[in-house]
Amino acid sequence: MGRLAAVFCALAVLVSAAAEARPASKGWFAEGGLGAVAFLPPRASRGAALGPSLGVRVGRDLFSWLSLNVHVAASSHEAIVPPPPEGEWFQLYRGAGDLRLTGRFDRLALYAEGGAGLVMISSNVLGKLMITDPGEEFGVMFGGGAGFEYQLENRHYSVGIGVDAFFVPQFAKMAGLDSRAFLRYTY
Amino acid sequence: MRTTSIAFATIATLASGCANDPVYLPAPASIDAGETRDMDGNILPGVSALVIPVKLETMAQATDRARRQAMITDPLVRLPFINVDDFEISVEWTITNLTDMPGNATVQLNGANEFFRYDPSMIQLSADDESPAPPGLDGDVPLDIPARGKLNGLFTEDNVREAAIDLDQITRGNINPFRATLTISKNVDQFAQLAPLMFDMDGEPLPQMTTGTIFPREAIPAMLELDIVFKPDRHMLLEYTVRVRDVRGDMLPDKLMATPVAELQPFMPTDFAITATATP
């Protein structure tokens, strides 16, 4: 019985050591990501093709589990409207503020985030599908997403993969998914 | 801090990139042609015109234009509100052959700037009935369209810039339309005005002398009306879209074609005409 208790205690010590958070910086951070944006049905997916995206995020960890972020992202898409025009591209610029909840498990951290912001479309090419109205360039955007980070040996750096969904009611309820791989630096 | 600076630089780059983004102006209507004939049995071409909407000239813009105009000594050289380099315009079109037979078609580009409208049907360069028809500003290339097929084409930004300069050369510069359209002028810094076209006893154009008036590039207006002339040999449909990049960034109204007329710069070009008359 005593031997069993000793083994149990040893295991408990080992498990608690493994569960201890890996050293990771906390505070101001910046994140840069590359990925792709795909639009969701019904309308936007018929008017715009999958396109590359680039995003930058700056934020501050208020606690180890909560951070406040501002991010800007741009993506470029081929408009697939009935010709003419044909082969024309447009850009979608997104800027938002959001809150991120993070749970850290050793080297891995899982997060979920949500927020709101503004979106700007670079041209009226989607007007042909009535996705944008004449003169409509800006819209309010709501978004949320999730992903995970992997902490590197250097406590300032981590890499990760994330997916954010966004929704723009003004642009004929345009919805899309921004999937990205990112590098994060925490000061 | 450095990352914050990078973020702001990225936003600034994106914002500056937006200033020159294109807008797309849909054609007022598709051109359905090839079925209507004149009394001689010739197929009538289909014609469509699109006027690019331009915001009213502000006091500051008018003052600036007056200041630049005052620096030009020749009273014949009038500066336009919209210069040829202020807009980059292209026209993309799609022809659909609505018949079960392959056919041919041509698409011709004409138009107007804020001073003059050029229409080849108003131009007579020779009293000889068999002389070639006056040229359009661009296009007129024979195109093969398969049965029930589609063909996409484009008047590029270079094509339309060349057409805009040719239009000014023909109208204010009195340059023979054949000479204007057959020479490449899209990069000229200036052109010289010629004496108005005169004709000999046979009704053929005489050589022209320069008048001494020089039109600098800043005096060459942009083409603000695009006239598309569609000439198919059977029943076909032409759809087109005009793509405009506002280089100055403050000339196109936000609502484009939906803008109330009162908020747009008035556009009343004079029809340009040449009539060949035999001079004894």
Side-chain angles (χ1 to χ4, degrees):
Chain A
M1 192 62 181
R3 189 181 293 174
L4 191 61
V7 170
F8 181 77
C9 285
L11 277 175
V13 168
L14 280 174
V15 168
S16 65
E20 192 173 300
R22 185 182 167 74
S25 289
K26 194 185 83 165
W28 286 100
F29 68 88
E31 206 177 275
L34 289 170
V37 169
F39 291 99
L40 298 175
R43 281 168 84 170
S45 62
R46 284 191 285 117
L50 176 85
S53 72
L54 168 73
V56 174
R57 179 183 296 269
V58 178
R60 175 157 178 86
D61 293 320
L62 303 175
F63 306 102
S64 62
W65 53 273
L66 178 70
S67 60
L68 183 64
N69 313 297
V70 173
H71 79 269
V72 290
S75 56
S76 200
H77 306 270
E78 184 178 3
I80 41 179
V81 297
E86 191 179 41
E88 295 289 333
W89 287 65
F90 69 91
Q91 286 73 46
L92 198 67
Y93 305 104
R94 288 171 287 133
D98 54 37
L99 280 173
R100 178 182 283 188
L101 294 170
T102 306
R104 182 165 291 282
F105 307 94
D106 192 29
R107 296 182 180 210
L108 281 181
L110 300 177
Y111 70 81
E113 61 196 4
L118 285 175
V119 65
M120 178 191 163
I121 192 164
S122 67
S123 89
N124 66 338
V125 68
L126 297 183
K128 195 161 187 179
L129 293 177
M130 317 271 265
I131 289 175
T132 56
D133 292 330
E136 197 171 51
E137 222 176 335
F138 293 93
V140 174
M141 175 187 77
F142 301 98
F148 71 87
E149 287 174 27
Y150 178 81
Q151 183 67 41
L152 301 181
E153 288 296 332
N154 185 319
R155 66 192 182 96
H156 294 288
Y157 289 96
S158 62
V159 292
I161 293 174
V163 179
D164 282 335
F166 60 88
F167 175 64
V168 189
Q170 280 111 318
F171 293 173
K173 298 177 182 170
M174 171 191 278
L177 285 179
D178 182 356
S179 315
R180 67 192 190 283
F182 62 83
L183 173 68
R184 169 178 161 142
Y185 180 83
T186 309
Y187 290 88
Chain B
M1 195 61 183
R2 198 172 64 183
T3 309
T4 310
S5 304
I6 291 169
F8 280 121
T10 306
I11 294 167
T13 306
L14 294 176
S16 63
C18 302
N20 206 2
D21 284 324
V23 297
Y24 300 84
L25 307 176
S30 303
I31 310 177
D32 191 330
E35 284 200 312
T36 316
R37 293 172 185 271
D38 63 15
M39 286 188 295
D40 298 329
N42 300 315
I43 292 176
L44 288 171
V47 182
S48 173
L50 184 144
V51 177
I52 295 171
V54 177
K55 281 184 195 169
L56 281 171
E57 188 173 28
T58 63
M59 190 58 78
Q61 288 168 332
T63 306
D64 178 61
R65 185 154 66 113
R67 180 187 60 76
R68 288 183 291 117
Q69 182 72 61
M71 292 161 66
I72 296 172
T73 51
D74 192 331
L76 291 176
V77 179
R78 208 173 125 206
L79 291 182
F81 175 35
I82 309 285
N83 177 268
V84 68
D85 296 317
D86 289 341
F87 280 158
E88 293 289 357
I89 304 165
S90 58
V91 184
E92 190 170 336
W93 46 260
T94 300
I95 298 174
T96 307
N97 185 347
L98 300 173
T99 70
D100 293 324
M101 296 283 288
N104 296 298
T106 61
V107 184
Q108 187 184 73
L109 175 69
N110 295 308
N113 57 33
E114 60 192 78
F115 303 126
F116 289 102
R117 176 181 290 109
Y118 176 79
D119 177 358
S121 68
M122 306 276 284
I123 307 293
Q124 187 191 7
L125 293 172
S126 170
D128 184 355
D129 290 342
E130 294 184 358
S131 63
L137 294 176
D138 201 0
D140 261 343
V141 177
L143 306 162
D144 294 324
I145 322 290
R148 297 280 167 196
K150 282 181 184 274
L151 182 72
N152 294 326
L154 179 71
F155 291 112
T156 64
E157 291 180 348
D158 271 3
N159 293 148
V160 179
R161 190 184 311 114
E162 173 73 35
I165 295 171
D166 293 348
L167 169 61
D168 200 36
Q169 287 180 331
I170 293 167
T171 53
R172 291 198 297 176
N174 294 321
I175 295 175
N176 186 306
F178 282 109
R179 177 176 165 186
T181 54
L182 290 174
T183 51
I184 295 172
S185 311
K186 63 186 179 188
N187 296 321
V188 295
D189 293 326
Q190 59 184 41
F191 67 86
Q193 186 189 48
L194 302 181
L197 264 175
M198 302 292 284
F199 298 87
D200 63 15
M201 291 193 312
D202 298 325
E204 294 298 320
L206 291 165
Q208 295 167 276
M209 303 291 285
T210 57
T211 61
T213 294
I214 301 291
F215 289 94
R217 191 171 180 99
E218 72 165 330
I220 302 175
M223 203 152 78
L224 296 179
E225 178 185 304
L226 299 153
D227 299 336
I228 307 293
V229 183
F230 179 45
K231 300 175 191 167
D233 68 349
R234 60 197 69 245
H235 190 199
M236 295 188 199
L237 188 73
L238 182 137
E239 296 161 285
Y240 70 96
T241 298
V242 176
R243 178 183 187 269
V244 184
R245 288 193 297 127
D246 182 356
V247 177
R248 270 163 61 176
D250 59 352
M251 311 306 296
L252 287 171
D254 291 339
K255 293 197 171 180
L256 300 173
M257 309 305 273
T259 309
V261 177
E263 295 174 20
L264 297 177
Q265 184 75 3
F267 180 71
M268 289 174 290
T270 305
D271 287 329
F272 182 76
I274 301 174
T275 306
T277 44
T279 309

